[in-house]
């Protein structure tokens, strides 16, 4: 859901400079598209360390070419996470540009879903989420150096290898870098085709709920069994009632498994449950509810594992202030930049969760993230780059 604000007329003093910047990125558009294509054509599924290491090494070189100091954080099970530091001409605290180079697409997706340009769109696995966002970082930094002769303030880029699978190897580094930064700009895709930035994200968690019952022959001894499947079904109907969509809380047992054969009363059943919360407070309440579930059939045993992985990104005063800055960067090119609250989580949840002003959805505009029609809208790229470069200066 995105919120519309009234358009104020573009600031006459800022408009000529902003238009020049827009023209700069329009003249660099073919080169930007080429860079995005290069990144999409290096496949990088989260669960393939060799593939992710390949793209992180490639990116380290790209950022080094424009004066960055790359540092690879070795990760055992995932690709190496890539930090790049850019010194700036002021003593201001750095701004952190946050992103990920892993995708949800397995190796071998490219032949069936090639990177291709069609009707003003660039298609391909991970193009929107979020390889175009990484290319925007490169071009915004390069442009600032061209315009000022140097970067006006220090910039830290952090590109992680495991965002799509929970950020287990990178989260601590992300949080440590955010703590040293004045603000965090997350280059995840914008919300919707109007290109809103994201000022709130729900928190996300996952639980595994297992029931152990007692098996017996469904024909010979039906009375002796205690069905784990029946118990699980009853428990699910309890959990379902916790859904409170008005307050942004949702519980979805999205996967269930159980039993062995139709003629056996099931001894085991499991549910995997996705939960979403809007406020940090909801996390502990929901967790308590899961952990205090009691079996209907006392011969059944319940076990609950998991929890909230990403706390919500709440629209704090710091987030709202960043959004206002973004609006004032967009305004001189006659762009009424909207904001949106979304249900999905990102690494922006971590940085906002520790109180660092964070603006998410700064990346490309498009549709179909994680789906076969994933694409970006090419004509939106120049103004996204204007926004990013302006925010690096202003944040
Ligand atoms: Zn993403």
């Amino acid at each position: 859901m995105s919120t519309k604000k009234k358009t104020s007329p573009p600031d006459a003093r800022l408009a000529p400079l902003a238009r020049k910047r827009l023209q700069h990125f329009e003249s660099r558009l073919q080169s930007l598209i080429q860079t995005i294509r290069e990144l999409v054509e290096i496949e990088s599924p989260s669960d393939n360390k060799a593939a992710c290491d390949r793209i992180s090494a490639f990116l380290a070189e790209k950022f080094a070419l424009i004066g960055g100091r790359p540092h690879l954080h070795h990760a055992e099970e995932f690709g190496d996470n890539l930090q790049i530091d850019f010194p700036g001409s002021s003593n201001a605290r750095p701004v952190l540009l946050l992103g990920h180079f892993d995708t949800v697409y397995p190796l071998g997706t490219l032949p069936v879903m090639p990177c291709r340009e069609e009707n003003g769109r660039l298609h391909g696995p991970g193009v929107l989420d979020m390889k175009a966002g990484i290319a925007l970082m490169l071009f915004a930094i390069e442009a600032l150096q061209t315009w000022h002769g140097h970067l006006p303030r220090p910039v830290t880029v952090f590109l992680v290898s495991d965002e799509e699978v929970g950020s287990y190897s990178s989260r601590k580094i992300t949080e440590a870098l955010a703590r040293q930064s004045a603000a965090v700009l997350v280059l995840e895709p914008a919300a919707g085709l109007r290109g809103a930035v994201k000022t709130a994200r729900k928190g996300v968690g996952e639980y595994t709920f297992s029931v152990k019952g007692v098996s017996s022959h469904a024909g010979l001894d039906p009375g002796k069994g205690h069905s784990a499947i029946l118990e699980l079904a009853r428990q699910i109907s309890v959990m379902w009632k916790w859904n409170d969509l008005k307050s942004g809380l949702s519980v979805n047992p999205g996967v269930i498994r159980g039993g062995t054969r139709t003629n056996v009363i099931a001894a085991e059943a499991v549910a995997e449950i996705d939960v979403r919360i809007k406020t940090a407070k909801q996390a502990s309440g929901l967790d308590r509810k899961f952990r205090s579930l009691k079996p209907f059939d006392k011969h059944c045993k319940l076990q609950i594992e998991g929890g909230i992985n990403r706390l919500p990104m709440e629209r704090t005063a710091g987030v709202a202030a960043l959004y206002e800055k973004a609006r004032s960067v967009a305004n001189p090119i006659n762009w009424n930049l909207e904001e949106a609250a979304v249900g999905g989580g990102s690494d922006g949840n971590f940085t906002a969760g520790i109180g660092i002003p964070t603006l998410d959805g700064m990346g490309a505009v498009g549709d179909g993230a994680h789906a076969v029609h994933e694409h970006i809208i090419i004509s939106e790229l120049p103004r996204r780059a204007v926004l990013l470069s302006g925010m690096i200066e202003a944040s």
Side-chain angles (χ1 to χ4, degrees), residues 341-393:
V342 295
S346 86
D347 287 347
N349 291 52
F350 297 146
T351 60
I354 56 170
I356 313 300
T358 299
L359 196 59
D360 204 334
M362 290 282 294
V365 179
D367 197 12
H370 299 195
V372 359
H373 63 295
E374 179 163 348
H375 64 266
I376 59 167
I377 310 286
I378 290 171
S379 61
E380 289 284 339
L381 288 167
R383 70 176 190 177
R384 303 307 290 186
V386 170
L387 177 64
L388 178 58
S389 51
M391 286 303 283
I392 292 173
E393 290 171 315

Side-chain angles (χ1 to χ4, degrees), residues 43-57 71-83 100-103 158-163 165 167-171 173:
E43 292 187 298
S44 48
S46 322
D47 61 0
N48 190 313
K49 176 167 172 60
C52 281
D53 282 347
R54 223 168 6 252
I55 197 166
S56 68
H71 170 67
L72 287 166
H73 295 262
H74 178 70
E76 209 57 53
E77 289 173 43
F78 300 97
D80 292 345
N81 297 296
L82 174 61
Q83 175 185 345
H100 63 89
F101 51 72
D102 63 321
T103 74
F158 190 49
L159 301 172
V160 318
S161 61
D162 58 354
E163 195 273 346
V165 289
S167 301
Y168 292 99
S169 82
S170 56
R171 175 179 184 164
I173 311 166

Side-chain angles (χ1 to χ4, degrees), residues 86-254:
F86 286 90
S89 59
S90 78
N91 287 329
R93 291 212 289 165
V95 62
L96 175 61
L97 308 186
L98 188 56
H100 63 89
F101 51 72
D102 63 321
T103 74
V104 298
Y105 301 93
L107 284 190
T109 300
L110 264 180
V112 290
M113 194 179 153
C115 186
R116 67 180 209 285
E117 208 178 312
E118 208 177 280
N119 298 329
R121 299 164 169 186
L122 188 69
H123 292 254
V127 65
L128 174 64
D129 186 9
M130 53 155 276
K131 288 181 171 175
I134 300 175
L136 282 170
M137 295 180 189
L138 280 161
F139 279 70
I141 291 170
E142 193 187 31
L144 284 167
Q145 290 169 335
T146 309
W147 300 333
H148 296 281
H150 48 76
L151 265 185
R153 61 101 58 80
V155 173
T156 309
V157 172
F158 190 49
L159 301 172
V160 318
S161 61
D162 58 354
E163 195 273 346
E164 297 289 6
V165 289
S167 301
Y168 292 99
S169 82
S170 56
R171 175 179 184 164
K172 283 215 167 77
I173 311 166
T174 297
E175 289 176 345
L177 293 174
R179 280 199 182 88
Q180 298 163 12
S181 305
V184 182
L185 305 174
V186 188
L187 274 288
E188 289 280 354
L193 290 177
R194 302 169 69 94
V197 288
K198 298 170 180 172
T199 50
R201 279 182 179 274
K202 282 192 180 177
V204 189
E206 204 176 294
Y207 287 91
T208 304
F209 183 80
S210 323
V211 182
K212 275 213 163 29
V214 178
S215 67
S216 72
H217 193 299
L220 301 177
D221 282 320
K224 283 194 181 154
H226 295 273
S227 169
I229 287 180
L230 173 63
E231 181 66 28
L232 181 66
R234 291 165 126 181
Q235 297 291 351
I236 284 176
S237 70
V238 172
M239 294 170 199
W240 203 269
K241 294 197 185 97
W242 299 341
N243 275 298
D244 181 357
L245 303 188
K246 264 205 194 115
S247 50
L249 189 153
S250 57
V251 179
N252 179 47

